[in-house]
Amino acid sequence: MERRNMKKVTILIPCYNEESSLPALYQALKELMEGQQGYEWEVLLVNDGSRDNTISEIRKLREQDKRICYIDLSRNFGKENAMLAGFDYATGDCMVIMDADLQHPPHVIPEMLKYWEEGYEDVYAKRITRGKESWLRKRLTLLYYHLLQKTTRVEILENVGDFRLLDRKCIDALKQLRETQRYTKGMYCWVGFKKHEVLFEQGDRVAGESSFNFTRLLALAMDGITSFTTAPLRIATVLGLLVSVVAFAFMCYVLITTLIWGDPVQGYPTLMTVVLFLGGVQLLSLGIIGEYLGRIFHETKGRPVYIISEREGV
């Protein structure tokens, strides 16, 4: 009876090519769960179409410890969609989301649970440092968060990722957001609820290499901007208006000078500069519109966000 009344904590871990990280991850989680015996634990691993032996390692962990549950997706759908699969199948009263590479240290979780017990519904971990990242990547990341804060009506937390504890209320709210072009970091803020931060030192990967290269990070940034703000469309409108005003003023100038001083055959460089500039502005505006239209196109298909190949324990 006492066991049945214990609160249940789900640890959600998306995995992509994390075969070499899983043994160390399991040992760290095992120490955590044995040190926090006042809770019932569920570790939910979501294999996001890994190309190595990640799913085989997960099956071995399941055989050793029945607290390990897993979902094997039919292909790589991306971390955001893999997390949604975890939201759908998590059974805990709260859920902790963390990475498999131990950059998110499990020893922070007891502090998260403490604030959750105090009534906070979204306890997010804020990085003190960003680990071994290049100077350029750090600068671009901070610039991205600054731009997002300035252009959206929803407060996007800076230096805060997916490492957080969510109450069942938050989980149920996030499950209702089924869009395919997902930016979960913004969704955490959009759904609201009572939040509290904890600080942590981000560690380095225990094994393997990060799958988030510059191209994937740029795509994630585009998803964040287009999912939570229409500011690029407004910028394109304002830029088009300004260019039209300048072009009209230049047209008046050319007309007046022609009437007064005649029309010598000159100005080819100026003409080409204006034409190329206007063409660049038009292509930029069309590109911005195309980004939003592409997302509308994907949403109208109505396809499932993910497809499960195998699941165990859920």
Side-chain angles (χ1 to χ4, degrees):
M1 183 65 68
E2 181 181 353
R3 177 84 174 176
R4 193 174 301 168
N5 292 330
M6 294 172 65
K7 293 181 179 179
K8 188 173 184 179
V9 181
T10 298
I11 301 179
L12 170 62
I13 307 174
C15 301
Y16 180 69
N17 294 344
E18 297 291 354
E19 173 189 1
S20 54
S21 301
L22 288 176
L25 172 67
Y26 174 67
Q27 289 301 321
L29 292 179
K30 185 178 178 181
E31 293 176 5
L32 168 70
M33 293 185 289
E34 290 177 352
Q36 300 287 323
Q37 296 186 359
Y39 298 95
E40 183 182 354
W41 293 91
E42 172 188 62
V43 179
L44 179 54
L45 302 171
V46 182
N47 180 41
D48 186 24
S50 299
R51 297 183 179 181
D52 60 2
N53 294 318
T54 295
I55 187 59
S56 299
E57 291 296 322
I58 292 176
R59 292 191 187 108
K60 292 177 183 178
L61 294 177
R62 169 69 181 174
E63 292 175 359
Q64 298 175 29
D65 192 334
K66 295 304 179 184
R67 293 174 296 186
I68 305 294
C69 309
Y70 68 86
I71 297 172
D72 183 28
L73 301 184
S74 61
R75 65 169 177 83
N76 178 242
F77 286 90
K79 182 182 179 182
E80 303 286 320
N81 296 342
M83 286 194 297
L84 179 60
F87 296 162
D88 288 341
Y89 287 91
T91 59
D93 298 298
C94 70
M95 177 174 65
V96 177
I97 309 168
M98 62 179 294
D99 290 345
D101 55 16
L102 288 178
Q103 286 188 307
H104 298 158
H107 65 75
V108 180
I109 294 177
E111 185 179 1
M112 293 179 169
L113 290 170
K114 179 176 73 75
Y115 287 114
W116 176 57
E117 294 285 5
E118 292 177 3
Y120 292 99
E121 296 155 327
D122 181 355
V123 184
Y124 58 88
K126 184 174 182 178
R127 305 179 189 92
I128 300 175
T129 59
R130 298 188 62 90
K132 292 183 179 179
E133 287 187 353
S134 65
W135 179 87
L136 179 61
R137 180 167 170 174
K138 290 178 181 178
R139 294 297 100 191
L140 291 175
T141 300
L142 293 176
L143 176 62
Y144 162 69
Y145 279 117
H146 179 72
L147 290 175
L148 201 57
Q149 288 281 20
K150 293 294 185 181
T151 57
T152 182
R153 297 178 182 179
V154 179
E155 182 184 6
I156 307 297
L157 300 170
E158 188 174 323
N159 274 330
V160 175
D162 296 312
F163 188 27
R164 63 181 64 220
L165 180 148
L166 299 173
D167 183 78
R168 171 50 61 181
K169 292 180 183 177
C170 299
I171 300 169
D172 292 338
L174 289 166
K175 285 166 61 176
Q176 298 178 51
L177 308 181
R178 309 303 296 188
E179 57 252 46
T180 58
Q181 308 297 304
R182 305 182 65 79
Y183 184 67
T184 313
K185 294 178 183 63
M187 293 179 182
Y188 298 136
C189 300
W190 187 87
V191 297
F193 295 106
K194 192 176 181 181
K195 302 183 184 299
H196 194 282
E197 77 171 27
V198 296
L199 301 177
F200 79 105
E201 291 277 359
Q202 178 167 302
D204 299 319
R205 292 184 63 91
V206 295
E209 296 181 357
S210 174
S211 60
F212 275 88
N213 53 30
F214 181 78
T215 303
R216 293 188 67 179
L217 289 172
L218 180 61
L220 182 63
M222 288 297 296
D223 286 340
I225 292 173
T226 54
S227 295
F228 284 89
T229 177
T230 56
L233 291 174
R234 294 195 182 99
I235 293 173
T237 302
V238 173
L239 185 60
L241 179 63
L242 289 176
V243 170
S244 298
V245 171
V246 172
F248 179 76
F250 183 72
M251 182 187 68
C252 294
Y253 167 78
V254 172
L255 179 63
I256 292 172
T257 54
T258 301
L259 291 175
I260 296 176
W261 290 289
D263 185 21
V265 183
Q266 296 178 357
Y268 178 76
T270 303
L271 179 62
M272 287 303 300
T273 300
V274 171
V275 170
L276 291 174
F277 177 70
L278 290 176
V281 171
Q282 290 173 341
L283 289 175
L284 174 64
S285 301
L286 287 174
I288 294 173
I289 296 171
E291 285 290 334
Y292 284 91
L293 284 177
R295 279 153 177 76
I296 295 172
F297 171 69
H298 286 298
E299 294 296 336
T300 54
K301 290 181 180 180
R303 293 177 179 175
V305 181
Y306 60 87
I307 298 174
I308 295 177
S309 174
E310 177 188 350
R311 56 179 175 160
E312 188 70 36
V314 295

